[in-house]
Amino acid sequence: MPADKSKPEIPAELIGACQGILADGKVVMEEALFLQDWIARTESYAAIPTIQRLHRRIRTLFEDGSFCSSDARTLYNLLQQLVLDAGQEVHTPSAPSVSSKAPRPPRTKAHGEYRVVPSDQKIFDKPEVIDFAAAFCFTGIFAFGEREQCESETTARGGIIKKFPVGGMPCYVVMGSIASPDWLYGNYGTKIQKAIQYREKGKPVWIIHEDMWANRL
């Protein structure tokens, strides 16, 4: 019987890696970072469109240096479909759960390609008072905990959570204390860039470090 040409030619080692990641019914940040780095370092994958699309999608998920529960679900579904499209089975627990929960990077050490963000960088504002009745937009990876936890602590104090910075009301853009080296060289991500634009226009938008936010709770 001739081979099914509709199936993408995906290396068996990648299928095996995906099956291993999916085996416990969840995808965590470390697994996503491992997969991103592995694909980037394997030149033989560069000519395979399916893998190119997967690699671009993973990079998009980490665009702001974060990896939340919705990102985990998205990547889980992508890996599951990739395995199925290759004609292989996906073995998962009877009650799979997708989660982004994973040990947080230590704040005093490098974690893979991620680094601690110094709070004394010029980009950060240092307002004397943080108004917790204002809007808050969170970006990056937080030593405090998952982004959802940071948002919950903020809403409990009256804050309004926004997915992206807003210029029509006071808005604090809180940057997590963990980021990629690119961030340290000015590649801040779309949320920070948007906040900078608002700030330059004189809008009531402040970019603050996670430590300042946490200390004012």
Side-chain angles (χ1 to χ4, degrees):
M1 179 180 296
D4 185 351
K5 295 183 179 180
S6 66
K7 302 293 185 183
E9 295 181 1
I10 303 173
E13 58 180 337
L14 179 59
I15 293 299
C18 292
Q19 288 175 319
I21 291 173
L22 297 170
D24 61 356
K26 62 184 178 181
V27 180
V28 297
M29 183 179 68
E30 280 77 4
E31 291 170 330
L33 289 171
F34 163 77
L35 192 59
Q36 179 188 39
D37 182 61
W38 188 33
I39 293 174
R41 289 187 290 104
T42 308
E43 295 182 1
S44 60
Y45 293 171
I48 303 176
T50 300
I51 299 178
Q52 289 177 345
R53 289 192 293 271
L54 173 63
H55 193 210
R56 285 196 298 268
R57 188 66 177 120
I58 296 175
R59 290 203 308 269
T60 299
L61 294 178
F62 280 106
E63 186 176 33
D64 289 317
S66 64
F67 190 72
C68 62
S69 57
S70 62
D71 295 331
R73 285 192 293 271
T74 296
L75 185 54
Y76 182 93
N77 292 333
L78 285 172
L79 297 184
Q80 185 179 54
Q81 192 60 52
L82 185 147
V83 172
L84 293 174
D85 285 347
Q88 302 297 318
E89 294 184 359
V90 176
H91 302 286
T92 59
S94 56
S97 61
V98 181
S99 171
S100 64
K101 294 188 179 298
R104 284 291 165 188
R107 298 180 65 172
T108 57
K109 296 181 180 180
H111 179 77
E113 293 185 355
Y114 283 75
R115 301 289 185 272
V116 173
V117 177
S119 61
D120 59 355
Q121 289 199 18
K122 293 182 179 180
I123 190 174
F124 292 120
D125 296 305
K126 294 179 172 57
E128 293 184 4
V129 177
I130 293 181
D131 179 10
F132 277 90
F136 286 79
C137 174
F138 290 83
T139 183
I141 300 175
F142 296 84
F144 185 90
E146 296 290 336
R147 184 183 301 185
E148 292 90 340
Q149 182 181 354
C150 297
E151 292 176 345
S152 178
E153 292 289 343
T154 301
T155 56
R157 292 162 173 77
I160 303 170
I161 302 301
K162 297 292 185 179
K163 186 174 182 179
F164 293 97
V166 294
M169 64 183 298
C171 179
Y172 298 92
V173 180
V174 185
M175 176 67 202
S177 60
I178 309 296
S180 70
D182 288 343
W183 198 95
L184 302 178
Y185 294 102
N187 298 324
Y188 299 124
T190 55
K191 292 182 181 180
I192 296 296
Q193 294 290 1
K194 188 66 174 178
I196 292 174
Q197 292 173 7
Y198 278 135
R199 194 169 63 178
E200 290 175 345
K201 293 178 180 178
K203 301 292 184 181
V205 175
W206 298 270
I207 301 171
I208 61 175
H209 191 276
E210 173 188 355
D211 287 350
M212 172 168 283
W213 166 83
N215 290 335
R216 303 292 174 85
L217 289 177

